[in-house]
């Protein structure tokens, strides 16, 4: 039923009508009740009284209209419902409560950590911004939390353990509360069939605009290209399923090649694992590192330095045996063409791989650089030598040739030398696996690089306002927990065939809102409709979408 307006004899009349379908299939409107002249109804107030009377029977529609118009305050419920369920499923809440037993905090530390992690997932803002941000969300148990509570929770996560519990600490970092949490989370999901025989590890640097704690903030090789700032080093270790296992943090002046062995020793003691195959990038390799891995009886798959290692450049890559072509089917149904061969030199086993698609991209990139270089040379070459992309292809002209013009020219030999490395990478391994298995495991290291891209987005809080090492470690650990929840959700959705578009999902979650209104002695709770991906993602994660659209409570 609905109200229509019709004109008759120069007047406007309102009618209550309904739509009916006649036997022939024709649809027409049937008048149920004339309401009267529109101008008289408005002047007498009868129209307003009619609407108020109807409103008593359609409160939800009116409330939702007020929510859309912004006249009723509401709170967002999508993210707390979804990630709160995952928080319980992974076991983080239980582990935190176990760790907090006997501690005399006057606020709910577990809720403070959950709020911080949820904030890191949704907006990746500073912890200072989190205090205002959480006011817009319906987060159970977060009432009364303030900024100093969040800071104290961070400091507790990074708090050093007593001296009696420091067994297994690395030379660069002590054992902390967050280490115990990582170990207990792993133990909760470990069973007789769990295997941690392959671990992937990579590092990055995170810079500070401030001092960076008592010991963490130091000057060193900056992967953020900010050598003027203090920094710390962050390592993320994941298992063969791509699940984050733990994080390690060191002062910013620690060399990558110095950390691999201490971290592996610590992993073996922390997670009670025996056989380990370490997969790491070339930046973490030194001869001493390889000798240390072999002395421990550990397997490894390590990226090698094709350009700077003379043995690889002059012997391994010069090997004339043919490549074996292989087609690898990817998860999206596409295929990757690889050419692989194994080369043994002085008892060392190397696997050389050429990716044809990446080789074509490298060739196209080089041609674009050379074309740009040629154009720049015609305009002048004073600034070229400072451009690293250009410099590798330049050579200086001989002095005294008497010719005006540029002092540099393109060196065809350097361009040809660079072409030899298109799409090429070399691995060194002692693992008892086929060359293809070694390549595929090494390519899984890309999952760590993807984690780092997401970690840096989650850590987009610079300048970090924490001034103690403990609070900084806790701050980073909250990003680790956020990654753990994202991985759990991705796993559950993949099992149900649901593909997540993260940016869209976060926006859809924020659109799911709830309002509570006191009306006519009743307390009414209502929410907006689930839009976009929310319904399918909630179903995949086993989340009940509460509250119902409309619910009344006694006044």
């Amino acid at each position: 039923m609905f109200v229509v307006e019709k004109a008759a004899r120069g007047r406007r009349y309102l009618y209550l009508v309904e739509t009916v379908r006649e036997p022939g299939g024709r649809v027409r409107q049937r008048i149920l009740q004339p309401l009267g002249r529109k101008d008289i109804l408005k002047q007498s107030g009868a129209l307003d009284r009619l609407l108020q009377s109807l409103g008593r029977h359609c409160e939800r529609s009116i409330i939702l209209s007020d929510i859309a118009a912004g006249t009723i305050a509401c709170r967002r419920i999508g993210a707390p419902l979804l990630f709160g369920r995952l928080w319980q499923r992974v076991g983080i809440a239980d582990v935190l409560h176990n760790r907090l037993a006997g501690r005399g905090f006057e606020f709910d530390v577990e809720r403070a950590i959950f709020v911080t992690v949820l904030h890191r997932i949704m907006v990746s803002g500073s912890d200072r911004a989190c205090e205002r941000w959480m006011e817009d969300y319906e987060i159970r148990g977060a009432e009364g939390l303030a900024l100093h509570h969040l800071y104290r929770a961070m400091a507790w996560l990074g708090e050093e353990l007593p001296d009696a519990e420091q067994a297994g600490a690395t030379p660069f970092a002590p054992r902390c509360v967050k280490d115990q949490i990582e170990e207990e989370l792993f133990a909760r999901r470990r069973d007789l069939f769990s295997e941690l025989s392959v671990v992937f590890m990579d590092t990055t640097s995170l810079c500070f605009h401030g001092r960076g704690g008592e010991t963490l903030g130091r000057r060193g090789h900056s992967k953020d290209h900010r050598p003027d700032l203090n920094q710390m080093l962050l390592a993320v270790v994941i298992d063969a399923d791509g699940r984050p296992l733990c994080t390690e943090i060191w002062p910013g002046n620690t060399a990558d090649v110095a950390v691999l062995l201490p971290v592996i020793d610590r992993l073996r003691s922390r997670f009670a694992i025996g056989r380990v195959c370490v997969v790491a990038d070339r930046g973490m390799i030194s001869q001493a590192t390889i000798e240390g891995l072999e002395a421990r009886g550990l397997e490894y798959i390590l990226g090698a330095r094709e350009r700077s290692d003379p043995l690889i450049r002059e012997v391994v890559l010069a090997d004339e045996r043919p490549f074996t072509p292989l087609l690898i089917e990817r998860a999206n149904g596409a295929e990757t063409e690889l050419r692989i061969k194994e080369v043994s030199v002085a008892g060392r086993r190397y696997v050389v791989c050429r990716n044809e698609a990446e080789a074509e991209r490298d060739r196209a990139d080089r041609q674009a650089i050379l074309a740009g270089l040629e154009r720049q040379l015609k305009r002048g070459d004073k600034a070229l030598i400072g451009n690293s992309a250009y410099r590798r292809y330049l050579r200086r002209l001989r002095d005294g040739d008497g010719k005006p013009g540029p002092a540099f020219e393109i060196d065809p030999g350097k361009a040809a030398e660079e072409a030899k490395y298109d799409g090429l990478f070399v691995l060194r391994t002692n693992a008892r696996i086929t060359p293809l298995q070694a390549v595929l495991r090494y390519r899984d290291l890309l999952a760590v690089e993807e984690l780092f891209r997401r970690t840096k987005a989650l850590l987009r809080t610079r300048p970090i306002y924490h001034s103690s090492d403990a609070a900084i470690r806790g701050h980073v650990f909250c990003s680790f927990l956020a990654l753990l929840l994202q991985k759990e959700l991705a796993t559950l959705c993949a099992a149900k065939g649901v593909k997540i578009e993260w940016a869209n999902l976060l926006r859809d979650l924020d659109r799911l809102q709830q309002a509570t209104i006191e009306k006519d002695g009743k307390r009414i709770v209502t929410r907006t409709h689930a839009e976009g991906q929310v319904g399918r993602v909630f179903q995949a994660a086993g989340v009940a979408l509460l509250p119902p659209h409309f619910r009344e409570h006694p006044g």
Side-chain angles (χ1 to χ4, degrees), residues 127-175:
D127 289 338
R128 286 188 176 183
C130 182
E131 183 181 24
R132 294 294 303 275
W133 169 88
M134 67 180 179
E135 295 174 1
D136 296 332
Y137 289 78
E138 185 68 32
I139 304 175
R140 180 185 54 81
E143 303 82 4
L145 290 178
L147 180 62
H148 68 279
H149 296 137
L150 306 183
Y151 277 21
R152 288 182 62 191
M154 300 302 99
W156 173 73
L157 288 172
E159 182 181 288
E160 292 186 26
L161 297 175
D163 291 343
E165 300 179 44
Q166 286 295 326
T170 68
F172 318 107
R175 277 181 56 78

Side-chain angles (χ1 to χ4, degrees), residues 460-513:
R460 195 165 54 239
T461 60
R462 293 186 287 269
I464 296 176
Y465 294 104
H466 303 296
S467 58
S468 69
D469 285 353
I472 292 170
R473 287 191 289 260
H475 174 96
V476 173
F477 184 64
C478 284
S479 294
F480 168 83
L481 293 178
L483 289 171
L484 203 58
L485 295 183
Q486 288 183 338
K487 172 60 180 176
E488 182 70 15
L489 181 59
T491 300
L492 292 172
C493 287
K496 297 292 186 179
V498 178
K499 184 177 180 181
I500 300 176
E501 298 290 344
W502 281 105
N504 293 337
L505 175 60
L506 298 184
R507 184 173 61 251
D508 293 340
L509 287 172
D510 268 349
R511 289 175 176 168
L512 189 60
Q513 301 180 35

